[in-house]
Amino acid sequence: MRTPNPDVLPRSENLRILPLDVTSDESIAAAIKAAGPIDVLVNNAGIGVVGAFEATPMAHVRKVFETNTLGVMAMVQAVIPQMRERRSGAIINVTSSVTLAAMPLAAADTASKKAIEGFTGSLAHELAYFEIRAKVVEPGYAPTTSFAQNSSVRIEDLITVAYADFARPVFEAFANPALTTREADVVDAIWAAVHDASGQLRFPAGADAVALAVPPGQNTAA
């Protein structure tokens, strides 16, 4: 994590938390060196942005892509050499359910995550030659996490007067979702992706994400 906090997870002699800023080549190199051999890379770093795209400063859009897209690519590129030499390993890129269905007020975030979906799909082909697996995990809306606050811009500043009437029912739906994702759902999906040998590329995580991933008419029991 960017600022290591040893109290975030239960202490264990088998667990080590390292500082890492995925937007810094120097930080990535230091973390890779300190970690030693890496069997599985899970790219979960990300910042969100919710609001009207018209009102979103391009400086923030670039910041989103630096972390959500280019940061993921940089981490992948950094671990490939050791995995290629060992001819083993798994790379799990965590995106979002915004890649499963078009959602309002999420244009920049969706673009940053969609890029990683395409990137991972192509990467999976070339890495399979070296027996390295590349997968995508797509979490749904998880209101019990702090991801929504993981941004340097306030949602209120991205909903201008012109968009207020449009945004109101959208946020009302956010406040009362029919289905959501739990932290454990994401953990389970990552575990499944790491151990998958079927060639499956995408793993939706959470009831809402799974519902979006299932084609209409095919979500009922036989």
Side-chain angles (χ1 to χ4, degrees):
M1 58 181 62
R2 182 170 292 185
T3 304
N5 180 355
D7 297 322
V8 170
L9 298 169
R11 295 179 184 271
S12 169
E13 61 181 15
N14 298 317
L15 176 66
R16 186 156 50 111
I17 300 176
L18 299 172
L20 173 62
D21 177 356
V22 300
T23 67
S24 165
D25 292 341
E26 294 76 13
S27 179
I28 291 173
I32 296 294
K33 182 178 180 179
I38 296 173
D39 297 311
V40 177
L41 169 68
V42 178
N43 273 311
N44 191 45
I47 57 176
V49 54
V50 176
F53 180 72
E54 179 186 351
T56 306
M58 282 307 299
H60 188 67
V61 173
R62 292 186 178 93
K63 184 176 181 180
V64 168
F65 271 80
E66 281 288 342
T67 297
N68 295 2
T69 309
L70 298 178
V72 170
M73 292 180 173
M75 285 299 302
V76 169
Q77 194 173 69
V79 302
I80 287 176
Q82 58 172 283
M83 291 184 175
R84 174 175 50 76
E85 290 177 3
R86 293 195 307 269
R87 298 189 71 85
S88 70
I91 295 170
I92 313 300
N93 293 328
V94 180
T95 59
S96 168
S97 60
V98 297
T99 64
L100 298 172
M103 299 183 185
L105 304 177
D109 185 56
T110 300
S112 71
K113 303 292 178 56
K114 278 278 195 178
I116 290 303
E117 297 253 336
F119 164 72
T120 308
S122 178
L123 186 72
H125 288 290
E126 59 192 77
L127 294 188
Y129 180 78
F130 301 104
E131 301 179 52
I132 304 168
R133 302 180 306 282
K135 312 282 186 178
V136 172
V137 168
E138 302 157 325
Y141 175 52
T144 57
T145 71
S146 60
F147 182 73
Q149 288 77 48
N150 191 16
S151 176
S152 60
V153 295
R154 300 189 313 157
I155 294 176
E156 295 89 338
D157 294 334
L158 302 184
I159 303 298
T160 59
V161 173
Y163 287 90
D165 290 342
F166 169 79
R168 189 173 298 108
V170 175
F171 287 118
E172 289 174 354
F174 282 165
N176 298 283
L179 299 170
T180 60
T181 294
R182 302 167 303 149
E183 292 88 335
D185 297 327
V186 183
V187 172
D188 290 343
I190 291 173
W191 181 264
V194 169
H195 293 89
D196 177 72
S198 71
Q200 180 178 338
L201 175 65
R202 296 178 172 87
F203 293 77
D208 52 335
V210 170
L212 290 173
V214 176
Q218 296 185 24
N219 59 353
T220 56

Coordinates of all heavy atoms in Angstrom, one line a residue, residues 133-191:
R133 N -0.8 -17.0 -16.3 CA -2.2 -16.8 -16.4 C -2.5 -15.3 -16.1 O -2.1 -14.8 -15.1 CB -3.1 -17.7 -15.5 CG -2.8 -19.2 -15.8 CD -3.6 -20.1 -14.9 NE -3.5 -19.8 -13.4 CZ -2.5 -20.2 -12.7 NH1 -1.4 -20.8 -13.3 NH2 -2.4 -19.9 -11.4
A134 N -3.3 -14.7 -17.0 CA -3.8 -13.3 -16.7 C -5.3 -13.3 -16.7 O -6.0 -13.9 -17.6 CB -3.3 -12.4 -17.8
K135 N -5.9 -12.8 -15.6 CA -7.3 -12.8 -15.4 C -7.8 -11.4 -14.9 O -7.1 -10.6 -14.5 CB -7.7 -13.8 -14.3 CG -7.0 -15.2 -14.4 CD -7.7 -16.0 -15.5 CE -7.2 -17.4 -15.5 NZ -7.9 -18.3 -16.5
V136 N -9.1 -11.2 -15.0 CA -9.8 -10.0 -14.6 C -10.8 -10.4 -13.5 O -11.6 -11.3 -13.7 CB -10.5 -9.3 -15.8 CG1 -11.3 -8.1 -15.2 CG2 -9.4 -8.8 -16.8
V137 N -10.9 -9.6 -12.4 CA -11.9 -9.7 -11.4 C -12.7 -8.4 -11.4 O -12.2 -7.3 -11.4 CB -11.3 -10.0 -10.0 CG1 -12.4 -9.8 -8.9 CG2 -10.7 -11.4 -10.0
E138 N -14.0 -8.6 -11.5 CA -14.9 -7.4 -11.7 C -15.9 -7.3 -10.5 O -17.0 -7.8 -10.5 CB -15.7 -7.6 -13.0 CG -14.9 -7.8 -14.2 CD -15.6 -8.5 -15.3 OE1 -16.4 -9.4 -15.1 OE2 -15.3 -8.2 -16.5
P139 N -15.5 -6.5 -9.5 CA -16.3 -6.3 -8.3 C -17.5 -5.4 -8.6 O -17.4 -4.5 -9.4 CB -15.4 -5.7 -7.3 CG -14.0 -5.9 -7.8 CD -14.1 -5.9 -9.3
G140 N -18.6 -5.6 -7.9 CA -19.7 -4.8 -8.0 C -19.7 -3.6 -7.0 O -18.6 -3.3 -6.5
Y141 N -20.8 -3.0 -6.8 CA -20.9 -1.9 -5.9 C -20.8 -2.4 -4.4 O -21.6 -3.2 -4.0 CB -22.3 -1.2 -6.1 CG -22.5 0.0 -5.1 CD1 -21.6 1.0 -4.9 CD2 -23.7 0.0 -4.4 CE1 -21.8 2.0 -4.0 CE2 -24.0 1.1 -3.5 CZ -23.0 2.1 -3.4 OH -23.3 3.1 -2.5
A142 N -19.8 -1.9 -3.7 CA -19.5 -2.3 -2.3 C -19.6 -1.2 -1.4 O -18.6 -0.5 -1.1 CB -18.1 -3.0 -2.3
P143 N -20.8 -0.9 -0.9 CA -21.0 0.3 0.0 C -20.3 0.2 1.3 O -20.1 1.2 2.0 CB -22.5 0.4 0.1 CG -23.0 -1.0 -0.1 CD -22.1 -1.5 -1.2
T144 N -19.9 -1.0 1.7 CA -19.2 -1.1 3.0 C -17.7 -0.9 3.0 O -17.0 -0.9 4.0 CB -19.5 -2.5 3.6 OG1 -19.0 -3.5 2.7 CG2 -20.9 -2.8 3.9
T145 N -17.2 -0.6 1.8 CA -15.8 -0.2 1.6 C -15.7 1.3 1.6 O -16.7 2.0 1.5 CB -15.2 -0.8 0.4 OG1 -15.7 -0.2 -0.8 CG2 -15.5 -2.3 0.3
S146 N -14.4 1.8 1.6 CA -14.2 3.2 1.5 C -13.7 3.7 0.1 O -13.2 4.8 0.0 CB -13.1 3.6 2.5 OG -11.9 2.9 2.3
F147 N -14.0 2.8 -0.9 CA -13.5 3.2 -2.2 C -14.1 4.5 -2.7 O -13.4 5.3 -3.4 CB -13.8 2.1 -3.2 CG -13.3 2.3 -4.6 CD1 -12.0 2.2 -4.9 CD2 -14.2 2.7 -5.6 CE1 -11.5 2.5 -6.2 CE2 -13.7 2.9 -6.9 CZ -12.4 2.8 -7.2
A148 N -15.4 4.7 -2.4 CA -16.0 6.0 -2.9 C -15.3 7.2 -2.4 O -15.4 8.3 -3.0 CB -17.5 6.0 -2.5
Q149 N -14.6 7.1 -1.2 CA -13.9 8.3 -0.7 C -12.5 8.4 -1.2 O -11.7 9.3 -0.8 CB -13.9 8.2 0.9 CG -15.3 8.5 1.5 CD -16.2 7.3 1.4 OE1 -15.9 6.2 1.7 NE2 -17.5 7.6 1.0
N150 N -12.1 7.4 -2.0 CA -10.7 7.4 -2.4 C -10.5 8.2 -3.7 O -10.2 7.8 -4.8 CB -10.3 5.9 -2.8 CG -8.9 5.7 -3.0 OD1 -8.1 6.6 -2.6 ND2 -8.5 4.6 -3.6
S151 N -10.7 9.5 -3.5 CA -10.6 10.5 -4.6 C -10.2 11.8 -4.0 O -10.6 12.2 -2.9 CB -12.0 10.6 -5.3 OG -11.9 11.6 -6.3
S152 N -9.6 12.6 -4.8 CA -9.1 13.9 -4.4 C -10.1 15.0 -4.8 O -9.9 16.2 -4.5 CB -7.8 14.3 -5.0 OG -7.8 14.2 -6.4
V153 N -11.2 14.6 -5.5 CA -12.3 15.6 -5.8 C -13.6 15.2 -5.2 O -13.9 14.0 -5.0 CB -12.4 15.7 -7.3 CG1 -11.2 16.3 -8.0 CG2 -12.8 14.4 -8.0
R154 N -14.4 16.1 -4.8 CA -15.7 15.8 -4.1 C -16.7 15.6 -5.2 O -16.8 16.2 -6.2 CB -16.1 16.9 -3.2 CG -15.1 17.3 -2.1 CD -15.7 18.3 -1.1 NE -16.4 19.4 -1.8 CZ -17.4 20.1 -1.3 NH1 -17.8 19.9 -0.1 NH2 -17.9 21.1 -2.0
I155 N -17.6 14.6 -4.9 CA -18.7 14.3 -5.8 C -19.5 15.6 -6.0 O -20.0 15.9 -7.1 CB -19.6 13.2 -5.3 CG1 -18.8 11.9 -5.3 CG2 -20.8 13.0 -6.1 CD1 -19.5 10.7 -4.7
E156 N -19.7 16.3 -4.9 CA -20.6 17.5 -5.0 C -20.0 18.5 -6.0 O -20.8 19.2 -6.7 CB -20.7 18.2 -3.6 CG -21.4 17.4 -2.6 CD -20.4 16.5 -1.8 OE1 -19.3 16.2 -2.4 OE2 -20.7 16.1 -0.7
D157 N -18.7 18.6 -6.2 CA -18.1 19.5 -7.1 C -18.3 19.1 -8.6 O -18.1 19.8 -9.5 CB -16.6 19.7 -6.8 CG -16.4 20.4 -5.5 OD1 -17.3 21.1 -5.0 OD2 -15.4 20.1 -4.9
L158 N -18.6 17.8 -8.8 CA -18.8 17.2 -10.1 C -20.2 17.1 -10.6 O -20.5 16.6 -11.7 CB -18.1 15.9 -10.2 CG -16.6 15.8 -9.8 CD1 -16.0 14.5 -10.1 CD2 -15.8 16.9 -10.6
I159 N -21.1 17.6 -9.7 CA -22.5 17.6 -10.1 C -23.0 19.1 -10.2 O -23.3 19.6 -9.1 CB -23.4 16.8 -9.1 CG1 -23.0 15.4 -9.0 CG2 -24.9 16.8 -9.6 CD1 -23.0 14.6 -10.3
T160 N -22.9 19.7 -11.3 CA -23.2 21.1 -11.4 C -24.7 21.2 -11.5 O -25.5 20.3 -11.6 CB -22.6 21.6 -12.7 OG1 -23.1 20.9 -13.9 CG2 -21.1 21.5 -12.7
V161 N -25.2 22.5 -11.4 CA -26.6 22.7 -11.4 C -27.3 22.1 -12.6 O -28.4 21.6 -12.5 CB -26.9 24.3 -11.4 CG1 -28.4 24.6 -11.6 CG2 -26.4 24.9 -10.1
A162 N -26.6 22.2 -13.8 CA -27.2 21.7 -15.0 C -27.5 20.2 -14.9 O -28.4 19.6 -15.6 CB -26.3 22.0 -16.2
Y163 N -26.7 19.4 -14.1 CA -26.8 18.0 -14.0 C -27.6 17.5 -12.8 O -27.8 16.3 -12.6 CB -25.5 17.3 -14.0 CG -24.8 17.4 -15.4 CD1 -24.0 18.4 -15.7 CD2 -25.0 16.3 -16.3 CE1 -23.3 18.5 -17.0 CE2 -24.3 16.3 -17.5 CZ -23.5 17.4 -17.9 OH -22.9 17.4 -19.1
A164 N -28.0 18.5 -11.9 CA -28.6 18.1 -10.6 C -29.9 17.2 -10.8 O -30.0 16.2 -10.1 CB -29.0 19.4 -9.9
D165 N -30.8 17.6 -11.7 CA -32.0 16.8 -11.8 C -31.7 15.4 -12.4 O -32.4 14.5 -12.0 CB -33.0 17.6 -12.7 CG -33.6 18.8 -12.1 OD1 -33.5 18.9 -10.8 OD2 -34.1 19.7 -12.8
F166 N -30.7 15.4 -13.3 CA -30.4 14.1 -13.8 C -29.8 13.2 -12.8 O -30.1 12.0 -12.7 CB -29.4 14.2 -15.0 CG -28.8 12.9 -15.5 CD1 -29.5 12.1 -16.3 CD2 -27.5 12.6 -15.1 CE1 -28.9 10.8 -16.7 CE2 -26.9 11.4 -15.4 CZ -27.6 10.5 -16.3
A167 N -28.9 13.7 -11.9 CA -28.1 13.0 -11.0 C -29.0 12.5 -9.8 O -28.7 11.5 -9.2 CB -27.0 13.8 -10.5
R168 N -30.0 13.2 -9.5 CA -30.8 12.9 -8.2 C -31.3 11.5 -8.2 O -31.0 10.8 -7.2 CB -31.9 13.9 -8.1 CG -32.6 13.8 -6.7 CD -33.7 14.9 -6.5 NE -33.0 16.2 -6.6 CZ -33.1 17.1 -7.6 NH1 -33.9 16.8 -8.6 NH2 -32.5 18.3 -7.5
P169 N -32.0 11.0 -9.2 CA -32.5 9.6 -9.1 C -31.3 8.6 -9.2 O -31.5 7.5 -8.7 CB -33.4 9.5 -10.4 CG -33.0 10.6 -11.3 CD -32.5 11.7 -10.4
V170 N -30.2 9.0 -9.8 CA -29.1 8.1 -9.9 C -28.5 7.8 -8.5 O -28.3 6.7 -8.1 CB -28.0 8.6 -10.8 CG1 -26.7 7.7 -10.8 CG2 -28.5 8.8 -12.2
F171 N -28.4 8.9 -7.7 CA -27.8 8.8 -6.4 C -28.9 8.1 -5.4 O -28.5 7.4 -4.5 CB -27.4 10.1 -5.8 CG -26.1 10.6 -6.4 CD1 -26.1 11.8 -7.2 CD2 -24.9 9.9 -6.3 CE1 -24.9 12.2 -7.7 CE2 -23.8 10.3 -6.9 CZ -23.7 11.5 -7.6
E172 N -30.1 8.3 -5.7 CA -31.2 7.6 -4.9 C -31.1 6.1 -5.1 O -31.2 5.3 -4.2 CB -32.6 8.1 -5.3 CG -32.8 9.6 -4.8 CD -34.2 10.1 -5.3 OE1 -34.8 9.4 -6.2 OE2 -34.6 11.2 -4.9
A173 N -30.8 5.7 -6.4 CA -30.6 4.3 -6.6 C -29.4 3.7 -6.0 O -29.4 2.6 -5.4 CB -30.5 4.1 -8.1
F174 N -28.3 4.5 -5.9 CA -27.1 4.1 -5.3 C -27.3 3.9 -3.8 O -26.8 3.0 -3.2 CB -26.0 5.2 -5.4 CG -25.3 5.2 -6.7 CD1 -24.5 6.3 -7.1 CD2 -25.4 4.2 -7.6 CE1 -23.9 6.4 -8.3 CE2 -24.8 4.2 -8.8 CZ -24.0 5.3 -9.2
A175 N -28.2 4.7 -3.2 CA -28.5 4.6 -1.8 C -29.3 3.4 -1.4 O -29.3 3.0 -0.2 CB -29.2 5.9 -1.3
N176 N -30.1 2.9 -2.4 CA -30.9 1.7 -2.1 C -30.7 0.6 -3.2 O -31.7 0.3 -3.9 CB -32.4 2.2 -2.1 CG -32.7 3.2 -1.0 OD1 -32.8 2.8 0.2 ND2 -32.8 4.5 -1.4
P177 N -29.5 0.1 -3.2 CA -29.3 -1.0 -4.2 C -30.0 -2.3 -3.9 O -30.1 -2.7 -2.8 CB -27.8 -1.1 -4.2 CG -27.4 -0.8 -2.7 CD -28.4 0.3 -2.3
A178 N -30.5 -2.9 -4.9 CA -31.1 -4.2 -4.7 C -30.1 -5.3 -4.4 O -30.4 -6.2 -3.6 CB -31.9 -4.6 -6.0
L179 N -28.9 -5.2 -5.0 CA -27.9 -6.1 -4.8 C -26.5 -5.4 -4.6 O -26.4 -4.3 -5.2 CB -27.7 -7.1 -6.0 CG -28.9 -8.0 -6.4 CD1 -28.7 -8.6 -7.7 CD2 -29.2 -9.0 -5.3
T180 N -25.7 -6.0 -3.8 CA -24.4 -5.3 -3.6 C -23.3 -6.4 -3.6 O -23.5 -7.6 -3.7 CB -24.3 -4.5 -2.3 OG1 -24.6 -5.4 -1.2 CG2 -25.4 -3.4 -2.3
T181 N -22.0 -5.9 -3.4 CA -20.9 -6.8 -3.3 C -20.2 -6.6 -1.9 O -20.1 -5.5 -1.4 CB -19.8 -6.4 -4.4 OG1 -20.4 -6.7 -5.6 CG2 -18.5 -7.2 -4.2
R182 N -19.9 -7.7 -1.3 CA -19.2 -7.7 0.0 C -17.7 -7.9 -0.3 O -17.3 -8.5 -1.3 CB -19.7 -8.9 0.9 CG -21.2 -8.8 1.2 CD -21.6 -10.1 1.8 NE -21.2 -11.3 0.9 CZ -20.9 -12.5 1.3 NH1 -20.9 -12.8 2.6 NH2 -20.6 -13.4 0.4
E183 N -16.9 -7.5 0.7 CA -15.4 -7.7 0.6 C -15.1 -9.2 0.3 O -14.2 -9.5 -0.5 CB -14.7 -7.2 1.8 CG -14.8 -5.7 2.0 CD -16.0 -5.2 2.8 OE1 -17.0 -5.9 2.8 OE2 -16.0 -4.1 3.4
A184 N -15.8 -10.1 1.0 CA -15.5 -11.5 0.9 C -15.8 -12.0 -0.5 O -15.2 -12.9 -1.0 CB -16.4 -12.3 1.9
D185 N -16.8 -11.4 -1.2 CA -17.1 -11.8 -2.6 C -15.9 -11.6 -3.5 O -15.6 -12.4 -4.3 CB -18.3 -11.0 -3.1 CG -19.5 -11.2 -2.3 OD1 -19.7 -12.4 -1.9 OD2 -20.4 -10.3 -2.2
V186 N -15.2 -10.4 -3.2 CA -14.0 -10.1 -4.1 C -12.9 -11.1 -3.8 O -12.2 -11.5 -4.7 CB -13.6 -8.6 -3.8 CG1 -12.4 -8.3 -4.7 CG2 -14.8 -7.7 -4.1
V187 N -12.7 -11.4 -2.5 CA -11.7 -12.3 -2.1 C -11.9 -13.7 -2.7 O -11.0 -14.3 -3.3 CB -11.6 -12.5 -0.6 CG1 -10.7 -13.6 -0.2 CG2 -11.2 -11.2 0.1
D188 N -13.2 -14.1 -2.7 CA -13.5 -15.4 -3.3 C -13.2 -15.4 -4.8 O -12.7 -16.4 -5.4 CB -15.0 -15.8 -3.0 CG -15.2 -16.1 -1.6 OD1 -14.3 -16.4 -0.8 OD2 -16.4 -16.1 -1.2
A189 N -13.6 -14.3 -5.5 CA -13.4 -14.3 -6.9 C -11.9 -14.2 -7.3 O -11.5 -14.9 -8.3 CB -14.1 -13.0 -7.5
I190 N -11.1 -13.5 -6.5 CA -9.7 -13.5 -6.7 C -9.1 -14.9 -6.5 O -8.3 -15.4 -7.3 CB -9.0 -12.5 -5.8 CG1 -9.3 -11.1 -6.2 CG2 -7.4 -12.7 -5.8 CD1 -8.8 -10.0 -5.3
W191 N -9.5 -15.6 -5.5 CA -9.0 -16.9 -5.2 C -9.4 -17.9 -6.4 O -8.5 -18.6 -6.8 CB -9.6 -17.4 -3.9 CG -9.2 -18.8 -3.5 CD1 -9.9 -20.0 -3.8 CD2 -8.0 -19.2 -2.8 NE1 -9.2 -21.1 -3.3 CE2 -8.0 -20.6 -2.7 CE3 -7.0 -18.5 -2.2 CZ2 -7.0 -21.3 -2.0 CZ3 -6.0 -19.2 -1.6 CH2 -6.0 -20.6 -1.5

